[in-house]
Amino acid sequence: MALGTNTGGAGAGTEVPALSGAPLLGSLHDLKSDSLGTYLRAQQRHGDVVRVSAGPPGMRADLYCVFSPEGVQQVLASEAANFRKDNAFYQEVRESFGNGLLTSQDEDYLRQRRLVQPLFTRRRVDGYAGAVAAETASVVTAWEEALDGIVDVSDEMTHLALRAVARILFGTDVEATADVVARCFPVITDYVLRRGYSPANIPRNWPTPGNRRAAAAMDELYGVCDRIIGQRRRAGADASGEDLLTLLAAARSSDDGEFDDGELRDQVLIFLLAGHETTATSLCFALHLLARHPEQQDRAREEITRVLGGRPPQASDLERLPYLSQVVKEAMRLYPAAPVIGRKAVAATRIGGHAVPAGADVILAPWVTHRRPEHWPDPERFDPDRFTPEAEAGRPRYAWFPFGGGPRACIGQHFSMLESVIALAMILRAYSFEAVDADIPVGAGITLRTEGPARCRVRRLDTPRAE
């Protein structure tokens, strides 16, 4: 029977091999302390499909981990309808950040996608290049005052990506929103993580310190979004801005209607979450990897100087900077912003010849699949030439999937690449980088997160003059 064929029963296929764990709690401690290392170890010991159990008896969860590109394709694309975002983690994200594109399902998702899709065409997204360049120019200028010439690229790229997405979403209201998001998001995301990975949770409305802190952060974040949405609604037909919120408020169709205020807030919150943390991760690690590999850094800078000279980068330069795009893709391979993706199986099926029962929690791990040595020789080595067109054509489609895939592929993937390439081009043209911290510890949050500093020593370069 072919890979992925639905067998109609959990008993068909061979039993899924299990990662050994502690007698009482299984792999719970390992997943909490180092989930990425645990998933990598599971694949190395047991192969393409592995069961990882965690939690005490009576509350134990079985995670069916799928690591092969073919299995990933089955879950995300060829059998996508059988794998839903119904797990406990997505429910926690949904309750904190709303029922937007990332978390919605079924007709809600299809309706939202149809309303939002026209705002994410390549031509429309290319129009955001100016906002990205303006925010990057501010960072480039600010670094001239860096103490001892040292910057933490994790903090700096988070700041840059947040301001860029806030400017694109809110236009002139960027100042009113960026500080609130920067203050409230860490509180809410930590709350989601604690609840999403806990075997049991107390109700959100119980007045515990953790619940109260999270509720206060959500109230403040929701409040600023609601205020700006109200301003856009009151402006109505007189609104002339081209920011994304104005366009979302005006989005409508005869079949799908339009977003009400609550739906608008949900979309804004999801765009803020997905639009700044993911790109910040890619920018942080691209810079830090180049700082550790001066030959590749020089090669990227030579391309930037040759193509741009002293002029600001434009959207049309994305295709003219292929090596810099390869740098970004390789950074996304080694450090995918979404290192773990969860789904729940609706019906029993087979993956890689193994039986996966109905109701199973299914885990995909780009962190692991991106390190499969049969597709990525010497997988820990930084090598942007893995992403030449010829090299990409020789690999399975889902050997690399930082943007997910199938019908729920990330709607913002072109924007992420555009923002990353424009920002890197401006930063690398202005500064050279040398790593201060050789290694950066990371962990899996809602997105990949650094768990230590990512400091680089920067040296200002002579910027070429425009001809």
Side-chain angles (χ1 to χ4, degrees), residues 88-352:
F89 180 76
Y90 274 114
Q91 183 57 34
E92 291 296 332
V93 176
R94 193 176 290 117
E95 291 189 29
S96 292
F97 291 100
N99 195 42
L101 272 179
L102 178 67
T103 52
S104 61
Q105 298 193 103
D106 304 324
E107 184 52 38
D108 282 345
Y109 173 77
L110 294 174
R111 173 176 171 269
Q112 291 174 20
R113 183 94 182 196
R114 288 192 295 265
L115 285 169
V116 171
Q117 188 69 59
L119 308 184
F120 280 85
T121 62
R122 182 174 293 265
R123 180 177 180 181
R124 174 70 71 177
V125 169
D126 286 350
Y128 301 141
V132 174
E135 292 298 337
T136 307
S138 297
V139 170
V140 168
T141 299
W143 283 3
E144 293 178 357
E145 306 299 324
L147 183 64
D148 296 327
I150 293 177
V151 299
D152 187 328
V153 292
S154 178
D155 291 344
E156 294 292 321
M157 293 303 98
T158 297
H159 173 77
L160 167 59
L162 172 57
R163 286 192 58 88
V165 76
R167 179 181 291 275
I168 290 163
L169 268 170
F170 299 116
T172 56
D173 291 298
V174 60
E175 301 296 341
T177 56
D179 288 345
V180 172
V181 173
R183 183 169 58 254
C184 295
F185 258 52
V187 176
I188 301 171
T189 55
D190 285 347
Y191 181 70
V192 167
L193 287 173
R194 287 197 305 271
R195 293 179 63 87
Y197 291 116
S198 175
N201 286 303
I202 62 173
R204 283 178 172 238
N205 60 0
W206 286 17
T208 64
N211 280 351
R212 293 172 65 181
R213 281 193 301 272
M218 284 186 274
D219 285 346
E220 184 177 7
L221 182 61
Y222 292 3
V224 73
C225 292
D226 288 344
R227 177 179 61 77
I228 298 172
I229 288 169
Q231 292 171 349
R232 297 294 194 280
R233 291 296 199 198
R234 288 189 294 273
D238 295 330
S240 58
E242 285 295 306
D243 59 80
L244 187 54
L245 176 56
T246 298
L247 298 174
L248 284 168
R252 58 181 51 86
S253 76
S254 57
D255 293 330
D256 298 310
E258 60 184 315
F259 290 127
D260 63 30
D261 287 358
E263 291 174 319
L264 265 181
R265 184 180 68 194
D266 287 352
Q267 300 306 329
V268 166
L269 291 172
I270 289 298
F271 289 152
L272 283 170
L273 172 66
H276 94 270
E277 291 194 351
T278 55
T279 303
T281 297
S282 300
L283 285 169
C284 164
F285 286 105
L287 284 173
H288 196 266
L289 285 163
L290 289 173
R292 291 164 49 198
H293 297 85
E295 182 178 343
Q296 286 87 342
Q297 182 182 161
D298 290 344
R299 182 175 169 187
R301 185 175 294 108
E302 184 279 327
E303 179 183 74
I304 294 163
T305 303
R306 172 168 43 82
V307 170
L308 299 181
R311 66 173 175 81
Q314 303 170 352
S316 59
D317 292 316
L318 190 61
E319 295 181 356
R320 303 176 65 204
L321 296 167
Y323 187 73
L324 193 56
S325 295
Q326 291 169 209
V327 167
V328 174
K329 290 180 177 180
E330 175 70 341
M332 290 177 174
R333 180 188 72 83
L334 285 164
Y335 298 97
V340 178
I341 299 170
R343 294 289 190 269
K344 185 177 285 289
V346 177
T349 190
R350 280 193 351 173
I351 301 178

Side-chain angles (χ1 to χ4, degrees), residues 26-40:
S27 296
L28 180 62
H29 174 74
D30 292 337
L31 288 172
K32 283 192 169 184
S33 62
D34 181 15
S35 62
L36 300 179
T38 300
Y39 292 134
L40 191 61

